[in-house]
């Protein structure tokens, strides 16, 4: 286990929801932060977290706009000296279906793929050259959905197997018919996760994804018209628990897992399960060099 104290991180989409919880958890570990969001209240979060003593900077911008991303990454490096952790969390949701009107669909595509996939791609492209140049290694964590990976936890390590609706293999990928573009963007993110994992492992940089099930957030409350029933809310995971999984993942350090899609699914306590054997990439491709 490695200490995160004094490390420098960018968290995208940090104003509310999961990103807010990730920022709080990282600050509590002594990580210096650049918080990026469209929302003005990201400034308030930075002010609050800076009171704990670490350096925390808020930078407003759109993760889907190249000039915003360039400006944010350059300002982040100028503010903190270097960046070694990137939490690609910013995301948005809207319904989209296979037979949508083309004009609606083009707007949905720009919004959903333009944020959920392009934002991850842009932050990676803008930051990875810097991470390679400073040579300290580091971590990239992409925040995905359980639609991609209903449950990747093998039966023999799953503590919640008795309660799991998918206990009889094969476990289907989730996602419904009403969010084809959201799901397409997240599947695309997994292409980046695998490719970056293989490309960056020799340089001491790990790239993992966390596949979230329903978790209490601004987005999920919005999905329920900001009036979810208490019974519904009781089934959701807590953002703080997901944040602890991110901390545990980062604390694994260079010797930890790489190229994994860590599944946090409703009905099972969110925690970092034992590392899974690789299915989609070769074990040797994911092996991280000790030195960045
Ligand atoms: N909450 C869930 O149940 C759930 C489930 C699966 C996946 N996720 C994923 O987790 C991530 C966080 O979701 P959340 O539920 O916390 O959402 P949220 O809406 O509560 O928070 C998202 C944050 O991202 C910011 N953001 C959105 N678009 C942006 C852009 N273009 N540029 C900069 N900032 C932007 C928002 O302003 C907001 O602060 C997303 O990638 C989402 O797809 C969430």
């Amino acid at each position: 286990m490695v200490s995160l104290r004094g490390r420098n991180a960018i968290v995208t989409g940090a104003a509310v929801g999961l990103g807010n919880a990730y920022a709080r958890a990282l600050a509590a570990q002594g990580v210096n932060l650049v918080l990026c969001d469209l929302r003005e209240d990201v400034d308030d979060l930075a002010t609050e977290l800076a009171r704990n003593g670490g350096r925390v900077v808020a930078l407003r911008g759109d993760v889907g706009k190249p000039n915003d991303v360039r400006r944010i990454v350059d300002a982040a490096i100028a503010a903190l000296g270097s960046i070694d952790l990137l939490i690609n969390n910013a995301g948005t949701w809207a319904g989209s279906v296979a037979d949508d009107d083309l004009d609606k669909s083009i707007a949905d595509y720009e919004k959903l793929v333009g944020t959920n996939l392009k934002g991850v791609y842009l932050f990676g492209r803008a930051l990875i050259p810097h991470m390679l140049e400073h040579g300290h290694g580091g971590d990239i964590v992409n925040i995905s959905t359980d639609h991609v990976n209903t449950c990747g936890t093998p039966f023999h390590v799953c503590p919640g197997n008795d309660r799991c609706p998918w206990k009889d293999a094969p476990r289907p990928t989730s996602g419904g018919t009403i969010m084809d573009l959201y799901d397409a963007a997240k599947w695309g993110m997994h292409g980046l996760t695998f490719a970056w994992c293989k490309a960056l492992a020799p340089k001491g940089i790990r790239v993992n994804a966390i596949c979230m099930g329903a978790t209490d957030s601004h987005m999920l409350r919005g999905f329920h018209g900001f009036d979810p029933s208490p019974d519904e809310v009781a089934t959701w995971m807590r953002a703080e628990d997901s944040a602890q999984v991110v901390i545990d993942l980062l604390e694994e350090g260079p010797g930890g897992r790489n190229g994994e899609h860590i599944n946090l699914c409703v009905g099972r306590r969110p925690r970092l399960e034992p590392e899974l054997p690789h299915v989609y990439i070769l074990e040797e491709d994911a092996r991280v060099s000790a030195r960045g």
Side-chain angles (χ1 to χ4, degrees):
M1 185 174 124
V2 303
S3 168
L4 301 179
R5 183 159 299 280
R7 306 284 295 281
N8 299 329
I10 295 179
V11 182
T12 69
V16 296
L18 284 159
N20 181 298
Y22 299 148
R24 289 178 186 281
L26 287 163
Q29 295 299 319
V31 176
N32 302 309
L33 292 168
V34 167
L35 308 179
C36 145
D37 209 287
L38 286 169
R39 294 172 57 118
E40 290 182 9
D41 49 354
V42 73
D43 296 354
D44 303 333
L45 179 65
T47 306
E48 180 193 333
L49 296 181
R51 284 195 203 111
N52 298 333
R55 283 177 291 166
V56 188
V57 179
L59 296 169
R60 273 185 257 153
D62 186 333
V63 298
K65 295 202 169 133
N67 288 341
D68 284 12
V69 174
R70 246 188 226 119
R71 171 177 53 79
I72 289 166
V73 168
D74 287 351
I77 294 165
L80 300 184
S82 67
I83 300 293
D84 39 25
L85 308 174
L86 169 63
I87 313 295
N88 265 321
N89 164 76
T92 190
W93 183 89
S96 68
V97 295
D99 60 348
D100 265 342
D101 165 76
L102 184 58
D103 288 332
K104 170 190 181 294
S105 191
I106 289 167
D108 286 343
Y109 185 93
E110 295 302 328
K111 175 180 166 159
L112 292 163
V113 180
T115 302
N116 297 355
L117 178 58
K118 192 177 174 191
V120 173
Y121 148 75
L122 286 175
F123 263 90
R125 283 290 192 275
L127 192 63
I128 287 168
H130 161 77
M131 292 174 80
L132 293 176
E133 195 183 322
H134 74 47
H136 307 148
D139 272 272
I140 298 174
V141 182
N142 295 327
I143 305 303
S144 185
T145 170
D146 67 347
H147 298 184
V148 173
N149 186 11
T150 295
C151 188
T153 307
F155 303 125
H156 66 285
V157 296
C158 179
N161 214 19
D162 295 349
R163 304 183 306 277
C164 179
W166 309 119
K167 67 182 172 189
D168 300 316
R171 300 178 180 189
T173 53
S174 185
T177 56
I178 59 157
M179 41 178 101
D180 63 352
L181 287 172
Y182 178 91
D183 290 350
K186 296 297 189 185
W187 277 96
M189 175 197 277
H190 287 240
L192 294 177
T193 304
F194 285 134
W196 291 354
C197 157
K198 289 188 278 188
L200 302 178
K203 306 292 181 186
I205 299 169
R206 293 191 304 156
V207 188
N208 289 287
I210 298 201
C211 305
M212 299 298 312
T215 307
D216 199 350
S217 74
H218 186 78
M219 181 193 283
L220 195 56
R221 284 179 177 262
F223 184 77
H224 292 265
F226 293 102
D227 190 23
S229 74
D231 287 349
E232 175 79 25
V233 173
T235 67
W236 295 346
M237 293 183 282
R238 298 180 331 140
E240 305 84 81
D241 294 335
S242 167
Q244 186 56 50
V245 173
V246 170
I247 298 297
D248 293 343
L249 171 66
L250 295 176
E251 284 182 343
E252 286 185 337
R257 74 195 69 201
N258 192 24
E260 187 170 312
H261 291 89
I262 298 158
N263 194 70
L264 302 185
C265 72
V266 161
R268 211 173 71 221
R269 187 163 72 82
R271 65 173 190 178
L272 192 64
E273 304 283 358
E275 187 177 344
L276 297 174
H278 283 289
V279 177
Y280 299 110
I281 50 178
L282 298 174
E283 190 67 40
E284 56 264 36
D285 284 344
R287 207 164 295 135
V288 172
S289 298
R291 205 196 138 269

